[in-house]
Amino acid sequence: MATQPTAAPSKKKTSTMAQRLERLGLVAPADFVVHLPIRYEDETHVQAIAEVHPGLSVQVEGTILSVDVQQRPRRQLHAVIEDESGRLSLRWIHFYPSQIKALAVGRQIRVRGEIRQGFNGLEMVHPKLSNAGAALARALTPVYPTTDGLTQPSLRKCIAQALEQADLRDTLPTALRDELQLMPFQEAIRLLHYPPPDLSYERLFHEGHPAWNRIKFDELLAQQLSLAAARQARRAQKAQPLAARHSALEQQLRASLPFQLTSAQERVVNEIAHDMARDFPMHRLLQGDVGSGKTIVATLAATQAIASGYQVAIMAPTEILAEQHYVKIKAWLDPLGVPLVWLTGSLSAKKKHEAYEALRTGAATLAVGTQALIQEHVQFQRLGLVILDEQHRFGVGQRLELSRKGDKANRSGNTLIPHQLNMSATPIPRTLAMSYFADLDVSAIDELPPGRSPVITKLASDARRPEIMDRVRAEVAQGRQAYWVCPLVEESEALQLQTAIDTHLVLTQALPEVRIGLIHGRQSATEKAQIMDAFRAHELDVLVATTVIEVGVDVANASLMIIEHAERFGLAQLHQLRGRVGRGHIQSVCVLLYQTPLSHIARARLQAMYETTDGFEIARRDLAQRGPGEFMGMRQSGQAVLRFASLDTDAALIEQAQEVAVVLRDQYPNAAAAHMQRWMKGREELLRS
Ligand code: ADP
Ligand code: MG
């Protein structure tokens, strides 16, 4: 029995044409205009079978030599055609009886599809059939992004209609367009929808084709205009000015520090203080390599808010990091009489309740914690400043949540948005900074505190493990401490835990005189805190750890870090881990143990770690190795907003668009509005966050 073809049209829920189009965002004629092909098919000529090769999408014509339904390896329809130059197999996995009929032996047909290397020579799977000798297309055929139930021909028809009705006038004033040497909009659009006959696939797809260039520019310009609008909207929001600069509290904190701020720290403290004193919300990113001293900068900002009579929330992505901030900031501010609370998910219900009360009534002016700070029932009496550490680890939504705590608190009358300071050790690549992050003011701490000597990095194959053990013993004998980081096991958390436990056991047996602790993600927060405290107090010499210590952990006496299976870690992660040592005056060493053979990319990563300790250089290489999409959680956020331009290859266009956006807004506001309407309809929101 013939199985029913799976391709039979199902009668389940039929959506109307309009609904299908709407799924693609196509409603008004103007929407269709910028719905551009993702690729083109070349149906302008027929090739000889002998000329085709795998991977090529082609059209050939030939005479049907044989047709049969094969049963093995599975049921399929198979045919062979022949032209003067050679033979080609055709194969269908799903087929109708009527298709078999159409394939009469001896008939001349034209087939179109992609050539593949089959078991018995070249073949085409599910080719499109037509009559041999039918008229050929005169130009490339556009292929559009589409959706279920919407065929290319019907989509093409809709687009053709829309092009008749839509306003295709150029949104760029002629003078500006000429100066930029851009193709007129209408010309570019028509060319891309209806490529002229003489235009080859290669030419059209070549990166720099003027038509695509115009489209990319337009898209980037819309993005820049929208960012400018978002910036203006933010400036129109209200925030409480936190104007108490150089307060007594700040003076006291500075006087109590065992160090002087570096000039880079002073500069960024000043930039932040200036923002906070204004009546619209600060939206600033504080960038500084690991160990550059961001915590004290954040704490100084906190004192300005507190001295101005407002509360501060500091949120970190992990309990360990949050706890560490809490311990440090408490040591600084508790003696100065600032009431602090600590809030994480693992607190007892009673403790949590106390913390909520303290924040709601304003009894506590500073809260340090994890995501627990953005729980529904957390309320602040008068939240003025929000600080996010390692901000790229939070989702866009979480960032918004915390700042909303502020506008809830101030709902009487004017809605006031708290000031926001984001901190990160991961530098943003330039093109990203110019596009998606353009509404973020950036302060950079570009200098490390004095007296730090860069960590020395050593690469060692796993065979040298005994030597490394000796090194740990020697370091501990000198009163220093070490981290031993266990390998990342991406596939299984349980396995990763097991390796950590095993490593701890092996080290304990090999180094009986050394006090060795173990910390990992499965321990309770209290356990973790106890172990970190013990390590900080030097009651432990060596800390065997999983990547839970990756960010923020700060123990100045730790001078040796061993990372096992370093080849499994990403560059940014290795850099973060290495940043856990070299935080005091002692010369520190980081040993990257690796297992051979190394893949090409792993080798490049280890080499980068060996060659530089500069976070910006590391980020640059990381970007080159991974591509920009991975950065800053971009995959979930606005990435999809750019359909045509690429942050990778269009840096020059981004720069141009940035300049033109300013001119357009200032001198041609109507053109700017028309441009936004054409390109950004309904999509501005994505850029806001
Ligand atoms: P990160 O920027 O990685 O968060 P931290 O704020 O944890 O860095 O600072 C790293 C260490 O350097 C901490 O022990 C901190 O107290 C210390 N530190 C910060 N600023 C200075 C400075 N100006 N001089 C000396 N030590 C400093
Ligand atoms: Mg930090």
Side-chain angles (χ1 to χ4, degrees), residues 621-652:
R621 295 201 196 184
D622 201 18
L623 180 66
Q625 285 178 12
R626 289 191 306 165
E630 304 264 328
F631 259 82
M632 318 295 291
M634 287 291 290
R635 267 174 309 180
Q636 316 100 277
S637 65
Q639 174 86 324
V641 176
L642 284 183
R643 288 180 292 163
F644 308 109
S646 141
L647 294 181
D648 249 351
T649 51
D650 297 320

PDB file of all heavy atoms in Angstrom, residues 621-652:
ATOM      1  N   ARG A 621      40.304  39.718  21.561  1.00  0.00           N
ATOM      2  CA  ARG A 621      40.568  38.399  20.973  1.00  0.00           C
ATOM      3  C   ARG A 621      39.372  37.471  21.140  1.00  0.00           C
ATOM      4  O   ARG A 621      39.076  36.653  20.281  1.00  0.00           O
ATOM      5  CB  ARG A 621      41.794  37.767  21.642  1.00  0.00           C
ATOM      6  CG  ARG A 621      43.055  38.543  21.363  1.00  0.00           C
ATOM      7  CD  ARG A 621      44.252  37.659  21.567  1.00  0.00           C
ATOM      8  NE  ARG A 621      45.461  38.450  21.666  1.00  0.00           N
ATOM      9  CZ  ARG A 621      46.661  37.910  21.767  1.00  0.00           C
ATOM     10  NH1 ARG A 621      46.807  36.597  21.810  1.00  0.00           N
ATOM     11  NH2 ARG A 621      47.722  38.674  21.856  1.00  0.00           N
ATOM     12  N   ASP A 622      38.703  37.632  22.263  1.00  0.00           N
ATOM     13  CA  ASP A 622      37.522  36.816  22.518  1.00  0.00           C
ATOM     14  C   ASP A 622      36.463  37.108  21.459  1.00  0.00           C
ATOM     15  O   ASP A 622      35.850  36.206  20.893  1.00  0.00           O
ATOM     16  CB  ASP A 622      36.982  37.161  23.908  1.00  0.00           C
ATOM     17  CG  ASP A 622      36.106  36.051  24.463  1.00  0.00           C
ATOM     18  OD1 ASP A 622      36.198  34.915  23.948  1.00  0.00           O
ATOM     19  OD2 ASP A 622      35.350  36.315  25.400  1.00  0.00           O
ATOM     20  N   LEU A 623      36.300  38.378  21.172  1.00  0.00           N
ATOM     21  CA  LEU A 623      35.330  38.803  20.170  1.00  0.00           C
ATOM     22  C   LEU A 623      35.700  38.228  18.812  1.00  0.00           C
ATOM     23  O   LEU A 623      34.859  37.728  18.072  1.00  0.00           O
ATOM     24  CB  LEU A 623      35.289  40.326  20.104  1.00  0.00           C
ATOM     25  CG  LEU A 623      34.308  40.914  19.085  1.00  0.00           C
ATOM     26  CD1 LEU A 623      32.886  40.592  19.483  1.00  0.00           C
ATOM     27  CD2 LEU A 623      34.495  42.412  18.967  1.00  0.00           C
ATOM     28  N   ALA A 624      36.992  38.294  18.494  1.00  0.00           N
ATOM     29  CA  ALA A 624      37.444  37.772  17.205  1.00  0.00           C
ATOM     30  C   ALA A 624      37.189  36.267  17.125  1.00  0.00           C
ATOM     31  O   ALA A 624      36.834  35.734  16.082  1.00  0.00           O
ATOM     32  CB  ALA A 624      38.917  38.075  17.001  1.00  0.00           C
ATOM     33  N   GLN A 625      37.342  35.582  18.251  1.00  0.00           N
ATOM     34  CA  GLN A 625      37.171  34.131  18.235  1.00  0.00           C
ATOM     35  C   GLN A 625      35.703  33.711  18.253  1.00  0.00           C
ATOM     36  O   GLN A 625      35.339  32.705  17.680  1.00  0.00           O
ATOM     37  CB  GLN A 625      37.889  33.486  19.433  1.00  0.00           C
ATOM     38  CG  GLN A 625      39.395  33.440  19.252  1.00  0.00           C
ATOM     39  CD  GLN A 625      40.108  32.836  20.454  1.00  0.00           C
ATOM     40  OE1 GLN A 625      39.492  32.250  21.334  1.00  0.00           O
ATOM     41  NE2 GLN A 625      41.418  32.988  20.496  1.00  0.00           N
ATOM     42  N   ARG A 626      34.874  34.481  18.950  1.00  0.00           N
ATOM     43  CA  ARG A 626      33.497  34.026  19.125  1.00  0.00           C
ATOM     44  C   ARG A 626      32.465  34.795  18.333  1.00  0.00           C
ATOM     45  O   ARG A 626      31.339  34.347  18.190  1.00  0.00           O
ATOM     46  CB  ARG A 626      33.096  34.131  20.600  1.00  0.00           C
ATOM     47  CG  ARG A 626      33.776  33.127  21.487  1.00  0.00           C
ATOM     48  CD  ARG A 626      33.133  33.125  22.824  1.00  0.00           C
ATOM     49  NE  ARG A 626      33.097  34.467  23.417  1.00  0.00           N
ATOM     50  CZ  ARG A 626      32.352  34.784  24.444  1.00  0.00           C
ATOM     51  NH1 ARG A 626      31.563  33.902  24.977  1.00  0.00           N
ATOM     52  NH2 ARG A 626      32.387  35.997  24.946  1.00  0.00           N
ATOM     53  N   GLY A 627      32.806  35.979  17.866  1.00  0.00           N
ATOM     54  CA  GLY A 627      31.799  36.802  17.196  1.00  0.00           C
ATOM     55  C   GLY A 627      31.016  37.611  18.215  1.00  0.00           C
ATOM     56  O   GLY A 627      30.924  37.224  19.374  1.00  0.00           O
ATOM     57  N   PRO A 628      30.441  38.724  17.779  1.00  0.00           N
ATOM     58  CA  PRO A 628      29.842  39.675  18.715  1.00  0.00           C
ATOM     59  C   PRO A 628      28.544  39.200  19.348  1.00  0.00           C
ATOM     60  O   PRO A 628      28.146  39.676  20.392  1.00  0.00           O
ATOM     61  CB  PRO A 628      29.580  40.911  17.858  1.00  0.00           C
ATOM     62  CG  PRO A 628      29.499  40.391  16.466  1.00  0.00           C
ATOM     63  CD  PRO A 628      30.337  39.156  16.391  1.00  0.00           C
ATOM     64  N   GLY A 629      27.883  38.224  18.727  1.00  0.00           N
ATOM     65  CA  GLY A 629      26.575  37.806  19.223  1.00  0.00           C
ATOM     66  C   GLY A 629      26.589  37.302  20.653  1.00  0.00           C
ATOM     67  O   GLY A 629      25.611  37.403  21.371  1.00  0.00           O
ATOM     68  N   GLU A 630      27.725  36.747  21.063  1.00  0.00           N
ATOM     69  CA  GLU A 630      27.796  36.146  22.381  1.00  0.00           C
ATOM     70  C   GLU A 630      27.956  37.189  23.479  1.00  0.00           C
ATOM     71  O   GLU A 630      27.811  36.894  24.643  1.00  0.00           O
ATOM     72  CB  GLU A 630      29.017  35.221  22.450  1.00  0.00           C
ATOM     73  CG  GLU A 630      29.028  34.163  21.396  1.00  0.00           C
ATOM     74  CD  GLU A 630      28.453  32.864  21.919  1.00  0.00           C
ATOM     75  OE1 GLU A 630      28.630  32.600  23.118  1.00  0.00           O
ATOM     76  OE2 GLU A 630      27.837  32.148  21.142  1.00  0.00           O
ATOM     77  N   PHE A 631      28.324  38.389  23.054  1.00  0.00           N
ATOM     78  CA  PHE A 631      28.660  39.379  24.058  1.00  0.00           C
ATOM     79  C   PHE A 631      27.466  39.901  24.817  1.00  0.00           C
ATOM     80  O   PHE A 631      26.398  40.074  24.280  1.00  0.00           O
ATOM     81  CB  PHE A 631      29.384  40.561  23.404  1.00  0.00           C
ATOM     82  CG  PHE A 631      30.853  40.479  23.622  1.00  0.00           C
ATOM     83  CD1 PHE A 631      31.622  39.685  22.801  1.00  0.00           C
ATOM     84  CD2 PHE A 631      31.446  41.136  24.679  1.00  0.00           C
ATOM     85  CE1 PHE A 631      32.973  39.579  23.015  1.00  0.00           C
ATOM     86  CE2 PHE A 631      32.798  41.031  24.886  1.00  0.00           C
ATOM     87  CZ  PHE A 631      33.568  40.255  24.050  1.00  0.00           C
ATOM     88  N   MET A 632      27.676  40.185  26.077  1.00  0.00           N
ATOM     89  CA  MET A 632      26.732  40.947  26.873  1.00  0.00           C
ATOM     90  C   MET A 632      25.318  40.396  26.805  1.00  0.00           C
ATOM     91  O   MET A 632      24.353  41.137  26.853  1.00  0.00           O
ATOM     92  CB  MET A 632      26.680  42.409  26.413  1.00  0.00           C
ATOM     93  CG  MET A 632      28.006  43.044  26.081  1.00  0.00           C
ATOM     94  SD  MET A 632      29.096  43.205  27.494  1.00  0.00           S
ATOM     95  CE  MET A 632      28.233  44.438  28.429  1.00  0.00           C
ATOM     96  N   GLY A 633      25.203  39.099  26.722  1.00  0.00           N
ATOM     97  CA  GLY A 633      23.868  38.508  26.672  1.00  0.00           C
ATOM     98  C   GLY A 633      23.067  39.000  25.483  1.00  0.00           C
ATOM     99  O   GLY A 633      21.851  39.033  25.501  1.00  0.00           O
ATOM    100  N   MET A 634      23.771  39.389  24.434  1.00  0.00           N
ATOM    101  CA  MET A 634      23.100  39.960  23.276  1.00  0.00           C
ATOM    102  C   MET A 634      22.128  39.000  22.617  1.00  0.00           C
ATOM    103  O   MET A 634      21.211  39.404  21.929  1.00  0.00           O
ATOM    104  CB  MET A 634      24.134  40.361  22.227  1.00  0.00           C
ATOM    105  CG  MET A 634      24.904  41.582  22.589  1.00  0.00           C
ATOM    106  SD  MET A 634      23.846  43.007  22.536  1.00  0.00           S
ATOM    107  CE  MET A 634      23.612  43.072  20.767  1.00  0.00           C
ATOM    108  N   ARG A 635      22.361  37.722  22.781  1.00  0.00           N
ATOM    109  CA  ARG A 635      21.506  36.780  22.077  1.00  0.00           C
ATOM    110  C   ARG A 635      20.049  36.932  22.469  1.00  0.00           C
ATOM    111  O   ARG A 635      19.162  36.818  21.660  1.00  0.00           O
ATOM    112  CB  ARG A 635      21.987  35.351  22.301  1.00  0.00           C
ATOM    113  CG  ARG A 635      22.930  34.900  21.210  1.00  0.00           C
ATOM    114  CD  ARG A 635      23.499  33.561  21.533  1.00  0.00           C
ATOM    115  NE  ARG A 635      24.048  33.561  22.884  1.00  0.00           N
ATOM    116  CZ  ARG A 635      24.611  32.510  23.435  1.00  0.00           C
ATOM    117  NH1 ARG A 635      24.699  31.393  22.784  1.00  0.00           N
ATOM    118  NH2 ARG A 635      25.107  32.586  24.658  1.00  0.00           N
ATOM    119  N   GLN A 636      19.805  37.202  23.765  1.00  0.00           N
ATOM    120  CA  GLN A 636      18.407  37.346  24.172  1.00  0.00           C
ATOM    121  C   GLN A 636      17.879  38.745  23.886  1.00  0.00           C
ATOM    122  O   GLN A 636      16.701  38.936  23.752  1.00  0.00           O
ATOM    123  CB  GLN A 636      18.191  37.090  25.669  1.00  0.00           C
ATOM    124  CG  GLN A 636      18.879  35.922  26.263  1.00  0.00           C
ATOM    125  CD  GLN A 636      20.126  36.379  26.982  1.00  0.00           C
ATOM    126  OE1 GLN A 636      21.160  36.576  26.362  1.00  0.00           O
ATOM    127  NE2 GLN A 636      20.034  36.544  28.288  1.00  0.00           N
ATOM    128  N   SER A 637      18.736  39.725  23.869  1.00  0.00           N
ATOM    129  CA  SER A 637      18.213  41.094  23.797  1.00  0.00           C
ATOM    130  C   SER A 637      17.986  41.545  22.364  1.00  0.00           C
ATOM    131  O   SER A 637      17.373  40.870  21.575  1.00  0.00           O
ATOM    132  CB  SER A 637      19.125  42.047  24.555  1.00  0.00           C
ATOM    133  OG  SER A 637      20.377  42.114  23.929  1.00  0.00           O
ATOM    134  N   GLY A 638      18.485  42.677  22.016  1.00  0.00           N
ATOM    135  CA  GLY A 638      18.064  43.317  20.767  1.00  0.00           C
ATOM    136  C   GLY A 638      18.697  42.828  19.489  1.00  0.00           C
ATOM    137  O   GLY A 638      18.447  43.373  18.432  1.00  0.00           O
ATOM    138  N   GLN A 639      19.484  41.788  19.581  1.00  0.00           N
ATOM    139  CA  GLN A 639      20.247  41.318  18.426  1.00  0.00           C
ATOM    140  C   GLN A 639      19.463  41.297  17.125  1.00  0.00           C
ATOM    141  O   GLN A 639      19.942  41.736  16.090  1.00  0.00           O
ATOM    142  CB  GLN A 639      20.791  39.919  18.719  1.00  0.00           C
ATOM    143  CG  GLN A 639      21.481  39.252  17.551  1.00  0.00           C
ATOM    144  CD  GLN A 639      22.933  39.649  17.464  1.00  0.00           C
ATOM    145  OE1 GLN A 639      23.304  40.770  17.744  1.00  0.00           O
ATOM    146  NE2 GLN A 639      23.769  38.729  17.077  1.00  0.00           N
ATOM    147  N   ALA A 640      18.240  40.778  17.196  1.00  0.00           N
ATOM    148  CA  ALA A 640      17.468  40.563  15.974  1.00  0.00           C
ATOM    149  C   ALA A 640      17.036  41.863  15.302  1.00  0.00           C
ATOM    150  O   ALA A 640      16.540  41.851  14.199  1.00  0.00           O
ATOM    151  CB  ALA A 640      16.242  39.709  16.272  1.00  0.00           C
ATOM    152  N   VAL A 641      17.232  42.965  15.988  1.00  0.00           N
ATOM    153  CA  VAL A 641      16.774  44.226  15.426  1.00  0.00           C
ATOM    154  C   VAL A 641      17.460  44.554  14.102  1.00  0.00           C
ATOM    155  O   VAL A 641      16.875  45.120  13.202  1.00  0.00           O
ATOM    156  CB  VAL A 641      16.957  45.371  16.435  1.00  0.00           C
ATOM    157  CG1 VAL A 641      16.570  46.684  15.818  1.00  0.00           C
ATOM    158  CG2 VAL A 641      16.110  45.089  17.661  1.00  0.00           C
ATOM    159  N   LEU A 642      18.730  44.197  13.983  1.00  0.00           N
ATOM    160  CA  LEU A 642      19.427  44.435  12.725  1.00  0.00           C
ATOM    161  C   LEU A 642      19.191  43.256  11.790  1.00  0.00           C
ATOM    162  O   LEU A 642      19.581  42.134  12.080  1.00  0.00           O
ATOM    163  CB  LEU A 642      20.927  44.599  12.951  1.00  0.00           C
ATOM    164  CG  LEU A 642      21.399  45.926  13.525  1.00  0.00           C
ATOM    165  CD1 LEU A 642      22.902  45.945  13.619  1.00  0.00           C
ATOM    166  CD2 LEU A 642      20.901  47.099  12.714  1.00  0.00           C
ATOM    167  N   ARG A 643      18.546  43.548  10.648  1.00  0.00           N
ATOM    168  CA  ARG A 643      18.273  42.456   9.721  1.00  0.00           C
ATOM    169  C   ARG A 643      19.296  42.405   8.596  1.00  0.00           C
ATOM    170  O   ARG A 643      19.560  41.368   8.022  1.00  0.00           O
ATOM    171  CB  ARG A 643      16.870  42.624   9.125  1.00  0.00           C
ATOM    172  CG  ARG A 643      15.764  42.342  10.127  1.00  0.00           C
ATOM    173  CD  ARG A 643      14.408  42.528   9.476  1.00  0.00           C
ATOM    174  NE  ARG A 643      14.178  43.946   9.155  1.00  0.00           N
ATOM    175  CZ  ARG A 643      13.239  44.356   8.309  1.00  0.00           C
ATOM    176  NH1 ARG A 643      12.490  43.482   7.693  1.00  0.00           N
ATOM    177  NH2 ARG A 643      13.061  45.643   8.086  1.00  0.00           N
ATOM    178  N   PHE A 644      19.829  43.563   8.246  1.00  0.00           N
ATOM    179  CA  PHE A 644      20.701  43.606   7.064  1.00  0.00           C
ATOM    180  C   PHE A 644      22.143  43.954   7.405  1.00  0.00           C
ATOM    181  O   PHE A 644      23.078  43.332   6.923  1.00  0.00           O
ATOM    182  CB  PHE A 644      20.141  44.603   6.049  1.00  0.00           C
ATOM    183  CG  PHE A 644      18.694  44.355   5.731  1.00  0.00           C
ATOM    184  CD1 PHE A 644      17.702  45.203   6.165  1.00  0.00           C
ATOM    185  CD2 PHE A 644      18.335  43.204   5.036  1.00  0.00           C
ATOM    186  CE1 PHE A 644      16.369  44.947   5.892  1.00  0.00           C
ATOM    187  CE2 PHE A 644      17.004  42.938   4.759  1.00  0.00           C
ATOM    188  CZ  PHE A 644      16.017  43.813   5.187  1.00  0.00           C
ATOM    189  N   ALA A 645      22.330  44.945   8.241  1.00  0.00           N
ATOM    190  CA  ALA A 645      23.689  45.360   8.579  1.00  0.00           C
ATOM    191  C   ALA A 645      24.288  44.397   9.598  1.00  0.00           C
ATOM    192  O   ALA A 645      23.571  43.669  10.271  1.00  0.00           O
ATOM    193  CB  ALA A 645      23.666  46.766   9.147  1.00  0.00           C
ATOM    194  N   SER A 646      25.602  44.404   9.687  1.00  0.00           N
ATOM    195  CA  SER A 646      26.265  43.519  10.634  1.00  0.00           C
ATOM    196  C   SER A 646      27.288  44.306  11.450  1.00  0.00           C
ATOM    197  O   SER A 646      28.051  45.107  10.906  1.00  0.00           O
ATOM    198  CB  SER A 646      26.956  42.391   9.866  1.00  0.00           C
ATOM    199  OG  SER A 646      28.196  42.095  10.456  1.00  0.00           O
ATOM    200  N   LEU A 647      27.299  44.061  12.753  1.00  0.00           N
ATOM    201  CA  LEU A 647      28.242  44.764  13.614  1.00  0.00           C
ATOM    202  C   LEU A 647      29.670  44.346  13.292  1.00  0.00           C
ATOM    203  O   LEU A 647      30.627  45.036  13.586  1.00  0.00           O
ATOM    204  CB  LEU A 647      27.953  44.459  15.080  1.00  0.00           C
ATOM    205  CG  LEU A 647      26.632  44.970  15.613  1.00  0.00           C
ATOM    206  CD1 LEU A 647      26.496  44.616  17.081  1.00  0.00           C
ATOM    207  CD2 LEU A 647      26.509  46.465  15.424  1.00  0.00           C
ATOM    208  N   ASP A 648      29.785  43.182  12.700  1.00  0.00           N
ATOM    209  CA  ASP A 648      31.089  42.635  12.364  1.00  0.00           C
ATOM    210  C   ASP A 648      31.758  43.401  11.242  1.00  0.00           C
ATOM    211  O   ASP A 648      32.916  43.754  11.309  1.00  0.00           O
ATOM    212  CB  ASP A 648      30.880  41.202  11.844  1.00  0.00           C
ATOM    213  CG  ASP A 648      31.417  40.202  12.817  1.00  0.00           C
ATOM    214  OD1 ASP A 648      32.079  40.626  13.779  1.00  0.00           O
ATOM    215  OD2 ASP A 648      31.163  39.004  12.613  1.00  0.00           O
ATOM    216  N   THR A 649      30.977  43.622  10.177  1.00  0.00           N
ATOM    217  CA  THR A 649      31.605  44.107   8.948  1.00  0.00           C
ATOM    218  C   THR A 649      31.230  45.542   8.601  1.00  0.00           C
ATOM    219  O   THR A 649      31.815  46.118   7.697  1.00  0.00           O
ATOM    220  CB  THR A 649      31.188  43.206   7.765  1.00  0.00           C
ATOM    221  OG1 THR A 649      29.774  43.090   7.777  1.00  0.00           O
ATOM    222  CG2 THR A 649      31.779  41.825   7.905  1.00  0.00           C
ATOM    223  N   ASP A 650      30.271  46.131   9.289  1.00  0.00           N
ATOM    224  CA  ASP A 650      29.793  47.432   8.866  1.00  0.00           C
ATOM    225  C   ASP A 650      30.135  48.577   9.819  1.00  0.00           C
ATOM    226  O   ASP A 650      29.385  49.534   9.941  1.00  0.00           O
ATOM    227  CB  ASP A 650      28.274  47.376   8.620  1.00  0.00           C
ATOM    228  CG  ASP A 650      27.924  46.418   7.493  1.00  0.00           C
ATOM    229  OD1 ASP A 650      28.670  46.407   6.500  1.00  0.00           O
ATOM    230  OD2 ASP A 650      26.936  45.682   7.613  1.00  0.00           O
ATOM    231  N   ALA A 651      31.286  48.452  10.472  1.00  0.00           N
ATOM    232  CA  ALA A 651      31.688  49.475  11.440  1.00  0.00           C
ATOM    233  C   ALA A 651      31.703  50.873  10.814  1.00  0.00           C
ATOM    234  O   ALA A 651      31.245  51.840  11.419  1.00  0.00           O
ATOM    235  CB  ALA A 651      33.045  49.132  12.037  1.00  0.00           C
ATOM    236  N   ALA A 652      32.195  50.965   9.584  1.00  0.00           N
ATOM    237  CA  ALA A 652      32.295  52.280   8.944  1.00  0.00           C
ATOM    238  C   ALA A 652      30.904  52.871   8.711  1.00  0.00           C
ATOM    239  O   ALA A 652      30.679  54.071   8.929  1.00  0.00           O
ATOM    240  CB  ALA A 652      33.053  52.166   7.628  1.00  0.00           C
TER     241      ALA A 652
END
